[in-house]
């Protein structure tokens, strides 16, 4: 049974913002600065259209693709030699169990309140032909000024926010962390320092290994990464595997 689409205010706002920015950039700014039918104007319009299409495609995939779920028959195997590390609760030390979904949580899985289920490796869219009169020129100039102001109010905070998010996610990828794991790691680091021990994120394999584990082993696929290399999403390589491999090679 498939669920129907429901109205989402944040999604609607993002979609309207994308289309407004695209329309004003191509049909107002590029047309006014270069002329839409000129070679520079046409080239800028084509490049911006390609970027806008990639943005719409990525956003559509992000909001429509199923984030995945924990298999109903999943049960952690504490005696598995290939997976010696198991995540436990901060309180009590028991294996992580979701009371809402009534099943155990695999490594890096968390319950999503929006999806209402546990998600694997959860990370925290024509003017007039004539302009002869002075009144028309004033009205057109006022319309352009309004478009400039609205676009500035949209683009400046949006550019700052996206730049911060880009840098933040580059940092997370370099350390092979999700947003939730980062915040949990801050607490774990504080507890380790308090206890006189050293904490290291168990899934941090080194920058290159982290990149390949997130974006894929083929460097050429990093431009358009997929999830085919991740596998079932129930088990992940850890720094422990690297340590064992290094000790066996000696």
């Amino acid at each position: 049974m498939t669920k129907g689409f429901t109205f989402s205010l944040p999604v609607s706002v993002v979609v309207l913002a994308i289309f407004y920015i695209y329309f004003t950039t191509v049909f107002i700014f590029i047309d006014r600065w270069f002329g839409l039918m000129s070679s520079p104007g046409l080239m800028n319009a084509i490049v911006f259209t390609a970027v806008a299409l990639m943005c719409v495609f990525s956003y559509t995939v992000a909001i429509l693709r199923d984030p995945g779920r924990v298999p109903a028959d999943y049960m952690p195997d504490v005696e598995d030699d290939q997976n010696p590390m198991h995540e436990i609760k901060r309180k009590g030390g028991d294996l992580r169990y979701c009371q809402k979904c009534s099943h155990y949580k695999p490594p890096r899985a968390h319950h999503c309140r929006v999806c209402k289920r546990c998600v694997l490796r959860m990370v925290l869219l024509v003017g007039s032909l004539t302009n002869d009169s002075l009144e028309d020129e004033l009205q057109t100039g006022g319309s352009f000024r309004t478009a400039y102001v609205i676009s500035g109010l949209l683009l400046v905070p949006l550019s700052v926010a996206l730049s911060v998010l880009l840098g933040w996610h580059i940092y997370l990828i370099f350390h092979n962390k999700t947003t939730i794991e980062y915040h949990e790691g801050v607490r774990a680091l504080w507890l380790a320092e308090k206890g006189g021990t050293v904490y290291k994120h168990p899934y941090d394999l080194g920058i290159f290994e982290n990149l390949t584990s997130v974006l894929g082993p083929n460097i050429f696929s990093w431009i358009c990464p997929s999830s085919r290399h991740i596998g079932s999403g129930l088990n992940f390589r850890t720094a422990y595997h690297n340590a064992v491999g290094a000790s066996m090679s000696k």
Side-chain angles (χ1 to χ4, degrees):
M1 182 177 179
T2 58
K3 295 183 179 180
F5 291 100
T6 58
F7 174 77
S8 174
L9 181 59
V11 172
S12 302
V13 171
V14 171
V15 171
L16 289 175
I18 291 174
F19 279 103
Y20 177 82
I21 292 172
Y22 174 79
F23 180 85
T24 54
T25 300
V26 174
F27 297 102
I28 295 181
F29 301 142
I30 293 179
D31 189 27
R32 190 175 176 84
W33 294 340
F34 303 105
L36 199 55
M37 292 297 103
S38 65
S39 296
L42 193 60
M43 183 61 64
N44 277 275
I46 291 174
V47 172
F48 191 79
T49 300
V51 173
L53 288 175
M54 287 190 292
C55 178
V56 171
F57 173 77
S58 299
Y59 189 64
T60 302
V61 171
I63 63 177
L64 295 183
R65 176 167 291 180
D66 193 302
R69 65 184 70 228
V70 178
D73 58 349
Y74 172 77
M75 181 67 66
D77 187 0
V78 295
E79 297 180 356
D80 185 7
D81 295 334
Q82 300 298 323
N83 188 32
M85 294 186 62
H86 297 277
E87 296 181 356
I88 59 176
K89 295 180 180 179
R90 289 196 296 262
K91 296 181 180 180
D94 299 327
L95 291 174
R96 297 166 66 236
Y97 186 85
C98 182
Q99 300 293 340
K100 297 179 180 178
C101 298
S102 299
H103 59 59
Y104 287 98
K105 295 180 182 180
R108 316 183 80 175
H110 296 274
H111 188 86
C112 176
R113 289 178 294 179
V114 177
C115 303
K116 298 180 180 179
R117 65 174 183 264
C118 287
V119 176
L120 299 173
R121 199 177 185 178
M122 179 176 171
V123 181
L124 279 177
L125 155 60
V126 186
S128 173
L129 294 177
T130 58
N131 282 322
D132 293 332
S133 67
L134 178 62
E135 181 180 358
D136 286 342
E137 291 181 3
L138 292 175
Q139 290 179 351
T140 303
S143 299
F144 280 126
R145 282 193 293 271
T146 303
Y148 275 106
V149 171
I150 296 177
S151 297
L153 292 175
L154 282 174
L155 289 175
V156 171
L158 189 61
S159 299
V160 173
L162 291 179
S163 298
V164 172
L165 283 174
L166 176 62
W168 171 240
H169 281 86
I170 289 175
Y171 168 83
L172 292 177
I173 291 175
F174 279 176
H175 293 80
N176 201 1
K177 294 181 180 180
T178 64
T179 308
I180 297 175
E181 288 171 351
Y182 169 80
H183 292 289
E184 291 179 342
V186 171
R187 175 179 171 82
L189 181 62
W190 176 77
L191 292 174
E193 291 178 350
K194 188 177 179 180
T197 58
V198 178
Y199 170 78
K200 188 178 187 301
H201 183 56
Y203 301 104
D204 189 354
L205 309 173
I207 292 180
F208 183 75
E209 290 292 335
N210 292 339
L211 284 170
T212 56
S213 66
V214 175
L215 300 177
N218 187 356
I219 297 180
F220 297 103
S221 68
W222 291 3
I223 301 176
C224 186
S226 64
S227 60
R228 288 175 294 184
H229 64 282
I230 294 179
S232 64
L234 301 177
N235 298 298
F236 297 91
R237 283 184 57 203
T238 65
Y240 174 84
H241 294 92
N242 288 357
V244 172
S247 62
M248 292 180 62
S249 61
K250 292 182 180 180

